[in-house]
Amino acid sequence: LNQSGPASTIAGGVLLAALMAVGLYVVLLGARRSKQLRDDDAQRSAMAEQRLLETNATLEKEAFERTSLLEAAQRDLQNILDALPSMVSTWDQHLINRFANPACHEWFGMDPNQTPGMRMEDWLGDLFVHQKPYIDAALRGEPSTVALSIPRPDGSGVRHTLAHYVPDAVNGEMQGFYLLMHDVSAQTEAQSRLGAALRETEALLTTINQHSSIVSVAGCDGKIVDVNEAFCRISGYTRDELIGQDHRIVNSGIQPRE
């Protein structure tokens, strides 16, 4: 019995030491595992933060590029509108001006600082009543084109224009319309001069045909393009037979054909 006491104590001490070693191992293993998890979390957080920074950098770059493109497009559009000789203006559904390019101010003799927010009735003055049907049509979504003569601000006459009313709709809802005007004064005046010249020519030909004068008109190639009745009567040919021929169709010295 005296010998078993110390042995039992030793065995108990060994067992306790073993249990303590196992416990310590478990504690160390847990600490190591916890550290590894913390390290993994830190690494994942660092990677996620890096990806986030890279994504933000990419988005910022794309936003900068798109903003630069948008600013360039807006600058180009503004330069074009400023230099455009035609009038460009936008109006809301209440006929209040939203935009007008420099041509608008020049054509109507207005201060650029006063046009935004101006009522169309005040803008057009006496012209408004005549344009109201086209304005109403544009607000219904119906485009139209109409000839319009605008008095020049300096009182030197009128500017002949071609006005286009273009509806402005977003998702089917009318926002107003665009009014585009092109100066066609040169063309209108040229047509007027041409019409006057044609009327004078027709009057002259009528006068000639009413008399016994023999008249034939030839083109640069020598082909007959017109004759009067006296020429037909004396030559013996009809007008249709003479048009397109040269004067060799008749004998030297105009004589009736046999």
Side-chain angles (χ1 to χ4, degrees), residues 52-109:
L52 181 59
L53 292 175
E54 292 175 353
T55 301
N56 287 339
T58 300
L59 291 176
E60 289 178 359
K61 180 180 179 182
E62 291 178 354
F64 176 78
E65 291 175 350
R66 292 180 180 179
T67 300
S68 298
L69 290 174
L70 179 59
E71 291 176 349
Q74 291 176 334
R75 184 173 60 254
D76 290 342
L77 179 59
Q78 187 64 55
N79 290 337
I80 291 172
L81 289 172
D82 289 346
L84 197 65
S86 297
M87 190 186 101
V88 179
S89 60
T90 60
W91 304 84
D92 66 15
Q93 64 272 33
H94 303 296
L95 305 185
I96 301 300
N97 180 259
R98 298 184 307 201
F99 170 81
N101 72 335
C104 298
H105 310 133
E106 177 187 350
W107 288 18
F108 286 87

Side-chain angles (χ1 to χ4, degrees), residues 106-138:
E106 177 187 350
W107 288 18
F108 286 87
M110 293 183 176
D111 184 348
N113 297 320
Q114 295 178 350
T115 50
M118 180 177 287
R119 297 169 61 245
M120 194 171 200
E121 185 174 0
D122 297 331
W123 181 297
L124 292 179
D126 295 338
L127 299 173
F128 180 78
V129 175
H130 303 287
Q131 297 304 299
K132 191 64 165 59
Y134 307 104
I135 295 170
D136 293 339

Side-chain angles (χ1 to χ4, degrees), residues 151-158:
R152 297 182 183 273
D154 59 2
S156 60
V158 298

Side-chain angles (χ1 to χ4, degrees), residues 40-60:
D40 290 345
D41 289 342
Q43 185 178 5
R44 284 193 294 269
S45 296
M47 292 177 62
E49 184 177 359
Q50 182 62 30
R51 286 196 297 268
L52 181 59
L53 292 175
E54 292 175 353
T55 301
N56 287 339
T58 300
L59 291 176
E60 289 178 359

Side-chain angles (χ1 to χ4, degrees), residues 208 211-216 228-235 254:
I208 292 174
H211 296 78
S212 59
S213 301
I214 299 172
V215 178
S216 67
N228 69 344
E229 294 179 2
F231 189 97
C232 295
R233 184 172 57 254
I234 294 176
S235 67
I254 301 177

